[in-house]
Amino acid sequence: MADDGSASNRRDPIKSSVGNVAGQRRRQQAVTVAKERRELLVRAKRLCRVGTTGGDEEDAHVENEMMIDEDQTVLEAQTSKAVEELKSAVQSQGKGAMQKRVTALRELRRLLSKSEFPPIDVALSAGAIPLLVQCLSFGSPDEQLLESAWCLTNIAAGQPEETKALLPALPLLIAHLGEKSSAPVAEQCAWAIGNVAGEGEELRNILLSQGALPPLARMIFPDKGSTVRTAAWALSNLIKGPESKAAEQLVRVDGIIEAILRHLKKTDEEIATEIAWIVVYLSALSDIATSMLLKGGILQLLVEKLATSNSLQLLIPVLRSLGNFVSVDPKAMLTILIGGQNTEENVINVLAKCLRSEHRVLKKEAAWVLSNIAAGSIEHKRMIHSTEAMPLLLQLLSTSPFDIRKEVAYVLGNLCVESAEGDTRPRIIQEHLVSIVSGGCLRGFIDLVRSADIEAARLGLQFIELVLRGMPNGEGAKLVEGEDGIDAMERFQFHENEELRVMANSLVDKYFGENYGIEE
């Protein structure tokens, strides 16, 4: 089942009449916007400074060393020497050879962990990769495997070409994800794979073709905290698109949906955060996954997390997941608003909490969710209109950054119209329109018309049409004129975008033509 083909069938009222962008926009943003925000949270790649075994005195020492800005030249010389010592240790035979290799690996790992910008290029030029691959071979002691995987993890956290240098090591890293390897070794290999997957689509496709996904998915089945966190993070990097094949492969792994739901029910917010990012990409890229997760009751879990958590790192993916479900499945709006006692008020109150947040990401994502709930039935619209969310939305439309104002405009616009099929002009809910315009929102919509953003300008023009057509006693024209709306629309008189040009010119001709104002 191809996801892309079904995205265009997902409609909601005010959005469908101005270009049907709801489902398509969410899927595009699943890759672009999510990538930007995840990188801001230092999620795409992670340098490993403390080992997966839980840390020891030496790990703590390395962590403390990070506070010292060591001379880069000295660090590079030490790294080159460490690789040479590893080369000698690998060739060594007889008594003490194994300990010699572990000591050499530990020194190289220490050097690759102690600087904010580790000398990865020096290690690669000195020939570290073939040596590390050799040290990663099956039958080697765990300590050697762990140190080798750790070195590869930090090399993979480097620049794109440095990450690609791990290609020879990928088959062994993937092989160590299985049950034959100890939990610390498997986790460290998962970390390295997560860094490789975080580099881009090309390397993700290579990992998928080499079979990385199934064993990585099975690593989140147990209740081992650290292992689950690392594996879930790596898994979210591996499935994040833009193609849907990885997401659809993941949901075919037996037990994966149950594991996702089980971990979301727990109180460990770090694990829940990583699992929630998996849900973000599954719900954005796979119809099958969306259906399976909805049947499993994930919406109520997401709402509960929103209501009880104050962790920004958790709330972002939870909100985005909720927005995905609501935007890609019209029935999800009914599911989320029907069920428990006062469920409707709980959902809206939780989203209102996010609208009050100081974090713009939460405000924008909460507005996205509300816009799609507002695109539902008349009961949904009345519910939002009668809650504490309304004054918050009106305020945000006039005071927020542009991206938030655009999302809020979708909410307010959807509240003013009933659902319409196809190209049918939506019927206005006059009570809501009058209330929202009286709240002072018209200026905000006219500002959107003046923006360079085509989508925002289209939305602003459509709301002006609602005002002109729907305000009682012909008040709409005077209100639009009073906010310089005529001037805003006339800028489209010769605009290159035909749709906006026709829309704006038609409104001016119809409502502000030659006879406008004559009766007065």
Side-chain angles (χ1 to χ4, degrees), residues 342-410:
N342 296 325
T343 302
E344 296 93 337
E345 293 182 6
N346 288 339
V347 173
I348 302 305
N349 288 341
V350 168
L351 293 172
K353 180 188 80 169
C354 296
L355 292 178
R356 293 191 201 93
S357 170
E358 297 179 356
H359 301 286
R360 61 183 293 165
V361 175
L362 294 186
K363 291 179 181 179
K364 182 175 179 179
E365 294 296 333
W368 167 267
V369 179
L370 283 168
S371 73
N372 285 285
I373 294 176
S377 69
I378 185 67
E379 289 78 14
H380 300 154
K381 300 172 192 292
R382 287 172 178 165
M383 176 194 65
I384 296 175
H385 186 260
S386 63
T387 66
E388 58 183 304
M390 278 306 299
L392 294 172
L393 291 166
L394 292 170
Q395 181 183 12
L396 289 171
L397 184 65
S398 61
T399 61
S400 296
F402 176 77
D403 57 340
I404 296 176
R405 285 191 285 124
K406 189 164 74 170
E407 294 296 344
V408 168
Y410 273 121

Side-chain angles (χ1 to χ4, degrees), residues 378 416-420 424-430 466 469:
I378 185 67
C416 294
V417 295
E418 289 191 25
S419 301
T424 305
R425 189 167 63 171
R427 191 178 77 82
I428 295 173
I429 304 173
Q430 191 177 68
L466 295 180
R469 175 162 59 99

Side-chain angles (χ1 to χ4, degrees), residues 81-195:
K81 180 182 177 182
V83 175
E84 291 301 317
E85 290 177 351
L86 177 58
K87 188 179 301 183
S88 173
V90 167
Q91 296 171 350
S92 179
Q93 301 291 331
K95 186 179 180 180
M98 185 272 287
Q99 188 57 46
K100 187 176 180 181
R101 286 194 296 274
V102 171
T103 300
L105 285 166
R106 185 179 294 122
E107 175 61 15
L108 178 59
R109 177 264 293 175
R110 187 183 69 85
L111 294 168
L112 291 172
S113 304
K114 67 188 299 184
S115 169
E116 184 179 355
F117 303 103
I120 296 172
D121 57 334
V122 175
L124 294 178
S125 298
I129 293 295
L131 301 173
L132 293 171
V133 172
Q134 190 172 345
C135 291
L136 203 60
S137 60
F138 276 92
S140 303
D142 270 10
E143 194 174 6
Q144 176 178 313
L145 294 172
L146 190 60
E147 293 289 353
S148 179
W150 192 339
C151 290
L152 290 167
T153 297
N154 285 357
I155 291 173
Q159 298 300 314
E161 292 305 315
E162 295 169 345
T163 305
K164 289 181 181 179
L166 259 72
L167 284 174
L170 295 185
L172 277 173
L173 287 171
I174 294 170
H176 280 296
L177 298 178
E179 297 177 355
K180 293 182 179 180
S181 299
S182 67
V185 170
E187 181 180 348
Q188 193 65 62
C189 290
W191 195 331
I193 288 170
N195 279 344

